[in-house]
């Protein structure tokens, strides 16, 4: 039953377009006008025999009485057409406004996404150690701007949290490297950083130590730059010191 009602509502909503509502209003008016005309035609003999042609004011005053049925029918048609227009007109106007607003929001979203993509590609071109396909730009965009309405200017707290988590992991590795009680193992550090970068939709392969650290330099600079550009004031993430470098 609920599926039937849902389909019925969807069908009615699809049908209720401004041009169809306007056609319905004119159709109602035309139907009643046609009915009044048919009544007049069917009773033309009666009018011919009961009334004579006259253009005086006294004759014109009898017009409402002579065509009372037709005038009542036209009045009823006008009232019904007006009622339909008053009931369905605002709905059609609201639907048109929502459609326009939705199209505008979609356009803003596309423009925002295109700007973000161009910006990211330009920044990646400055960092030769980051491979071209390392950053999933669209997934990163969804992470930074989850609302996706084209109006967001600040990165999401979740993005900043993940960047902060990356920096915390680097600081932990630095403490491990400088501590006399623990032994720093680069392969453990590399696995940890690689996994955290995946949460930021960045793929970093297990390259040799020097290559990995050089890529890490530029990835850190890239992510912290994003936090400075898109983060709210005071939410910027600073590049941590890397003693193991």
């Amino acid at each position: 039953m609920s599926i039937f009602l849902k389909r019925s509502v969807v069908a009615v909503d699809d049908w209720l377009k401004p041009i169809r509502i306007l056609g319905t209003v004119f159709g109602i008016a035309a139907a009643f006008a046609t009915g009044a005309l048919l009544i007049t035609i069917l009773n033309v003999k009666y009018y011919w025999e009961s009334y004579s042609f006259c253009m005086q004011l006294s004759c014109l005053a009898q017009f409402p009485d002579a065509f009372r049925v037709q005038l009542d029918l036209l009045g009823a048609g006008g009232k019904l057409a007006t009622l339909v227009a008053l009931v369905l007109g605002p709905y059609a106007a609201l639907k048109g406004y929502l459609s326009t607003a939705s199209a505008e929001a979609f356009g803003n979203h596309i423009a925002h996404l295109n700007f973000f993509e161009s910006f990211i590609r330009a920044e990646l071109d400055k960092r030769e150690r980051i491979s071209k396909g390392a950053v999933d730009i669209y997934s990163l965009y969804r992470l930074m701007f989850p609302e996706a309405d084209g109006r967001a200017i600040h990165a999401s707290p979740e993005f900043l949290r993940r960047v902060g988590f990356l920096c915390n992991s680097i600081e932990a590795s630095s403490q491990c490297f400088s501590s006399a009680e623990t032994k720093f193992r680069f392969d453990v550090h590399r696995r940890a950083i690689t996994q955290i970068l995946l949460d930021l939709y960045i793929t970093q392969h297990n390259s040799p130590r020097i290559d990995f650290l050089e890529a890490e330099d530029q990835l850190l600079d890239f992510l912290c730059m994003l936090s400075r550009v898109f983060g709210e004031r005071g939410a910027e993430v600073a590049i941590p010191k890397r003693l193991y470098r």
Side-chain angles (χ1 to χ4, degrees), residues 13-244:
D13 183 70
D14 291 339
W15 185 88
L16 287 176
K17 296 180 179 179
I19 188 64
R20 288 177 176 170
I21 294 175
L22 185 63
T24 300
V25 171
F26 279 106
I28 292 173
F32 278 82
T34 302
L37 180 61
L38 287 176
I39 292 174
T40 303
I41 293 174
L42 293 175
N43 293 276
V44 66
K45 183 178 180 181
Y46 165 78
Y47 292 116
W48 185 264
E49 293 176 352
S50 301
Y51 300 94
S52 58
F53 184 77
C54 177
M55 293 297 294
Q56 297 179 3
L57 291 177
S58 59
C59 297
L60 295 177
Q62 298 179 14
F63 184 85
D65 293 331
F67 296 95
R68 174 64 59 189
V69 176
Q70 291 91 325
L71 292 176
D72 289 344
L73 190 61
L74 290 174
K79 292 178 181 179
L80 181 59
T82 302
L83 177 63
V84 171
L86 290 175
V87 172
L88 300 182
Y91 176 82
L94 177 61
K95 186 177 179 181
Y97 169 77
L98 293 176
S99 297
T100 302
S102 177
E104 183 179 355
F106 180 74
N108 290 339
H109 170 63
I110 294 300
H112 192 259
L113 177 59
N114 287 339
F115 165 78
F116 180 80
E117 181 180 7
S118 299
F119 177 80
I120 293 298
R121 293 192 185 282
E123 290 298 323
L124 291 177
D125 287 341
K126 301 175 184 178
R127 299 167 173 84
E128 70 281 355
R129 286 296 182 178
I130 304 177
S131 62
K132 297 297 183 182
V135 180
D136 184 345
I137 296 178
Y138 300 118
S139 296
L140 179 61
Y141 177 83
R142 287 196 300 271
L143 173 63
M144 294 180 65
F145 307 105
E147 297 299 328
D149 58 1
R151 294 178 295 179
I153 59 175
H154 296 303
S156 67
E158 178 62 21
F159 167 75
L160 297 175
R161 187 190 69 81
R162 295 187 188 187
V163 175
F165 187 62
L166 174 66
C167 294
N168 292 338
S169 179
I170 290 175
E171 289 178 350
S173 294
S174 294
Q175 292 176 1
C176 181
F177 180 82
S178 61
S179 174
E181 299 178 357
T182 57
K183 181 180 179 181
F184 174 76
R185 295 181 57 186
F186 177 75
D187 57 334
V188 174
H189 166 78
R190 180 170 52 191
R191 283 197 301 270
I193 296 300
T194 300
Q195 184 58 48
I196 296 173
L197 287 174
L198 286 176
D199 292 336
L200 288 161
Y201 303 104
I202 299 175
T203 302
Q204 179 60 31
H205 300 291
N206 291 329
S207 52
R209 177 168 182 159
I210 295 178
D211 294 337
F212 185 89
L213 290 175
E214 289 180 349
E216 185 182 274
D217 287 341
Q218 296 189 355
L219 284 170
L220 273 174
D221 178 67
F222 171 71
L223 290 170
C224 291
M225 177 274 301
L226 290 180
S227 75
R228 291 193 304 272
V229 173
F230 295 104
E232 295 187 33
R233 185 180 298 274
E236 302 89 347
V237 179
I239 299 177
K241 293 182 179 180
R242 294 181 297 151
L243 302 179
Y244 55 84

